[in-house]
DNA sequence: TTGAAAGCGCTAACAC
DNA sequence: GTGTTAGCGCTTTCAA
């Protein structure tokens, strides 16, 4: 039943010793061409597979990386994981998944098991509820390479891969301006999260660049949800001088805005422009199709893995961790919801 | 830097032997209350963490399960993984992810590394391109528990968790009938996949149950894509006696159908009813919102894990694998695209 | 070129 | 109750 073939078995079969078989299997120098071939054939024939556990114990490596995400159910993270796993695969690494459910306690548990599994490195996206980062610092203290993706914290000096939220927001807002909208509102996200703060800043910067004053009453603070979008529109349309366009911090919020505008019989994009952020899969299928900013999810996963590989290589040779940060370019996807003029800009 | 604390360190610190420390840490009988406490305190103080690699080598277990999915980028699988991981987490297991990209070669590679990593069990969803299953059988031969989810193959006698596609299709078709549609078409998927075949059967069965003849010309064979849905509608509307409703094998196909119908100015649901399968996230956000059949993704993941746990437990005690198959009930989500009458049925 | 021996960190048998 | 010993499967000195 459990036909586990070991190096010892091969050695016995060929009247050799384990050491030689090991050398032959790993193509180490110091084995005759002849024995090497013989051993490898025997291994094949006997259906031998190297035991990675034993190998790990001996070598101190696992060829496993740990990935902490808030939830595999969120599209965005599934997509990043896709990028990570495909790269890992190519490089002989395996990927261990852990979901934080946005809770720091789970993050800690995940890190705990990752360290105890001796993963070669960790990729993580910080949980929304996490305000204190000692568990992440412990990873570094242990000498295990760590890279943040998407949700990073710059003050920790830990390498990261993020999308340029500021620039994305700038693009989105600028696009609305160029489409001729005059009063552009923003539905902002929770400001303790850097990504959402950056988007607010980008929005303000774009307005400023075009000489448009930023009006506090046009910035609605909500969160990422359809409801928040609806509420925002209800609020904004009641203003004495209501806006004629909105940049929403995230696509679900934008979706709520669209739904509410439709309910209130406001024409999109003729009377009111809408643009979101994230390029969710539903964007192109709703009516009108929703303009958005793509976050390069798969690319993000790939870059994160690549950066981690570098750290692992560096750590092995010098023990010095190169600090670095990769910022990906956001890609605008302008669709119907914001195209008032015929031209695309 | 790499402050790895081992059992030996604790033993030395307390003038004990490794065995005793191990016993104390694992709360084995045969240690005095006193030493146990002392050891556990020391472990805490010295920041000891059990090395799972060494433990695995010794115990022959890893507390890791391997999961093979076609792609983490596909919503459906992200959602199932979410279910699997949350259960695994609760039970002290970790989850290794491998993407097959729908290719049997990748499946083989994944199985290879899983076996070599000595995972305690494997969950898998078969790749579309896979026609030959020896690599799956090898898992069983090795004595490693295996459970299929969603894409299973009944002839292999391997336990599985699937949704009742036949019944789901039956529900969908019956719903259209009850809504008063008279000529109901079906856009079918690739028939070498059991799940799609079952849906076709369910469609036929529902028609038969209501005394409606199955007309071959109303069954369009396409695949799962927006384009296929569009082409199907183009074809169906040209028929001498065109249908007035369609059950599409999958939501993206249904989406294509909806888009084409709208382009051709056919009113949904007044003139034409549409229902899909999968309950994709975009369903409720498009106009009209799309009726569909929910596949219980998260539940599927949870059940698959539970079943795997049973197999692992069984295997340890008796070595006998209980054959079993869990069939989940599909849940209809009737929305605007198929509700011609006011009443929901 | 090959073999012998040690050890990665842990735990289970068996002694004391 | 605690210590001694051995071994999980592998690789890597050091010797031959």
């Amino acid at each position: 039943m459990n036909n586990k073939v070991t190096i010892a078995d091969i050695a016995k079969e060929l009247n050799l010793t384990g050491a030689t078989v090991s050398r032959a299997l790993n193509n180490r120098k110091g084995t005759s061409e002849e024995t090497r071939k013989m051993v490898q054939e025997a291994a094949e024939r006997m259906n031998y597979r190297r035991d990675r556990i034993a190998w790990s114990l001996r070598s101190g490596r696992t060829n496993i990386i740990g990935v902490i995400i808030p939830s595999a159910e969120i599209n965005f993270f599934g997509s990043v994981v896709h990028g990570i796993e495909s790269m890992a695969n190519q490089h002989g690494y395996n990927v261990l998944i852990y979901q934080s459910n946005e809770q720091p306690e789970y993050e800690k548990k995940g890190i705990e098991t990752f360290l105890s599994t001796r993963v070669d490195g960790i990729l993580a996206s910080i949980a929304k509820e996490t305000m204190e980062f000692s568990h992440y610092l412990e990873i570094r203290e242990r000498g295990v390479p760590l890279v943040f993706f998407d949700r990073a914290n710059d003050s920790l000096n830990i390498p990261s891969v993020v999308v340029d939220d500021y620039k994305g927001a700038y693009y989105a807002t600028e696009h609305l301006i160029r489409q001729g909208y005059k009063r552009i509102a923003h539905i902002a996200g929770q400001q303790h999260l850097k990504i959402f703060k950056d988007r607010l800043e980008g929005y303000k910067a774009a307005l400023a660049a075009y000489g448009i004053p930023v009006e506090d009453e046009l910035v609605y603070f909500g969160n990422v949800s359809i409801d928040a979008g609806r509420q925002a529109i209800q609020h904004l349309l009641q203003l004495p001088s209501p806006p004629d366009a909105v940049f929403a911090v995230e696509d679900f919020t934008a979706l709520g805005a669209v739904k509410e505008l439709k309910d209130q019989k406001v024409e999109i994009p003729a009377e009111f422009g809408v643009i979101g952020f994230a390029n969710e899969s539903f964007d192109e299928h709703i009516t009108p199709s929703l303009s958005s900013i793509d976050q390069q999810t798969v690319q993000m996963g790939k870059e994160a893995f690549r950066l981690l590989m570098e750290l692992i290589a560096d750590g092995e040779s010098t023990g010095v961790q190169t600090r670095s940060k990769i910022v990906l370019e956001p890609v605008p996807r302008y669709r119907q919801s914001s195209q008032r003029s015929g031209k695309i800009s």
Side-chain angles (χ1 to χ4, degrees), chain A residues 326-342:
Chain A
I326 294 175
V327 180
L328 299 174
E329 181 75 6
V331 180
R333 302 285 184 205
Y334 301 135
R335 302 195 180 90
Q336 293 166 0
S337 69
S338 63
Q339 307 262 22
R340 185 150 63 171
S341 66

Side-chain angles (χ1 to χ4, degrees), chain A residues 172-213:
Chain A
T173 311
E174 181 176 50
H175 167 70
L176 292 174
I177 296 170
R178 289 199 183 159
Q179 289 290 321
Y181 294 104
K182 297 302 176 197
R183 286 178 64 72
I184 299 169
H186 176 46
I187 310 176
Q190 299 103 307
Q191 293 298 298
H192 75 272
L193 292 177
K194 186 172 184 320
I195 53 175
F196 296 153
K197 211 168 171 178
D198 285 353
R199 294 181 198 173
L200 174 56
E201 294 306 321
Y203 158 78
K204 288 182 178 171
L207 292 182
Y210 283 80
I212 302 171

Side-chain angles (χ1 to χ4, degrees), chain A residues 51 65 75 90 104 110 121 166 174 188 208 215 224 259 276 325 336:
Chain A
D51 186 322
I65 65 163
N75 245 273
Q90 282 172 39
Y166 174 91
E174 181 176 50
E215 296 182 41
V224 175
K259 286 184 184 243
K325 178 168 178 170
Q336 293 166 0

Side-chain angles (χ1 to χ4, degrees), chain A residues 35 94 122 192 260 304 342:
Chain A
T35 38
N94 286 117
I122 294 175
H192 75 272
E260 185 65 25

Side-chain angles (χ1 to χ4, degrees), chain A residues 51-126:
Chain A
D51 186 322
R52 296 180 86 209
I53 301 290
W55 172 79
S56 290
L57 183 59
R58 189 61 242 252
S59 67
R61 301 183 46 208
T62 52
N63 276 13
I64 291 176
I65 65 163
V67 177
I68 298 176
I69 54 175
S71 167
E73 214 179 356
I74 299 174
N75 245 273
F76 176 86
F77 292 106
S79 196
V80 177
V81 166
H82 173 74
I84 295 171
E85 209 279 333
S86 21
M87 284 292 282
N89 205 329
Q90 282 172 39
H91 293 256
Y93 276 79
N94 286 117
V95 176
L96 216 41
I97 289 285
Y98 206 96
Q99 297 181 119
S100 71
N101 295 307
E102 307 284 9
Q103 304 297 322
E105 304 82 60
Y106 281 100
E107 279 183 327
K108 282 178 196 163
K109 241 186 97 190
I111 290 169
E112 198 80 8
T113 62
F114 281 173
L115 290 178
S116 151
T117 308
R118 289 210 222 163
V119 296
D120 289 350
I122 294 175
L123 297 177
S125 210
I126 303 176

Side-chain angles (χ1 to χ4, degrees), chain A residues 112-238:
Chain A
E112 198 80 8
T113 62
F114 281 173
L115 290 178
S116 151
T117 308
R118 289 210 222 163
V119 296
D120 289 350
I122 294 175
L123 297 177
S125 210
I126 303 176
K128 273 189 188 161
E129 303 295 329
T130 301
M131 307 287 176
E132 187 269 330
F133 302 91
S134 59
H135 46 303
Y136 281 115
L137 294 174
E138 193 188 338
I139 298 176
R140 182 163 58 187
E141 276 159 30
R142 283 263 186 157
V144 176
L146 167 66
V147 171
F148 285 133
F149 60 91
D150 191 51
R151 310 231 199 107
N153 181 315
D154 283 350
S155 66
L156 302 177
N157 262 326
I158 286 171
S160 61
V161 181
V162 296
V163 72
D164 194 330
D165 288 283
Y166 174 91
K167 201 187 265 185
Y170 189 102
Y171 288 161
T173 311
E174 181 176 50
H175 167 70
L176 292 174
I177 296 170
R178 289 199 183 159
Q179 289 290 321
Y181 294 104
K182 297 302 176 197
R183 286 178 64 72
I184 299 169
H186 176 46
I187 310 176
Q190 299 103 307
Q191 293 298 298
H192 75 272
L193 292 177
K194 186 172 184 320
I195 53 175
F196 296 153
K197 211 168 171 178
D198 285 353
R199 294 181 198 173
L200 174 56
E201 294 306 321
Y203 158 78
K204 288 182 178 171
L207 292 182
Y210 283 80
I212 302 171
V214 176
E215 296 182 41
D216 285 350
E217 66 171 18
L218 292 185
V219 178
Y220 180 93
F221 290 92
N223 57 22
V224 175
S225 72
I226 294 178
D227 268 354
R230 294 197 97 112
Q231 285 158 17
I233 291 297
Q234 283 167 13
H235 171 79
L236 291 168
L237 290 187
Q238 280 176 352

Side-chain angles (χ1 to χ4, degrees), chain A residues 6-11 14 16-31 35-36 39-40 43 48 50 55 58:
Chain A
T6 72
I7 282 189
D9 296 327
I10 299 178
L14 300 179
L16 285 171
T17 170
T20 309
V21 173
S22 170
R23 278 188 284 252
L25 286 174
N26 295 301
N27 285 315
R28 285 284 139 70
K29 59 187 175 190
T31 25
T35 38
R36 192 180 308 182
V39 167
Q40 291 180 351
Y48 168 80
R50 177 218 255 146
W55 172 79
R58 189 61 242 252

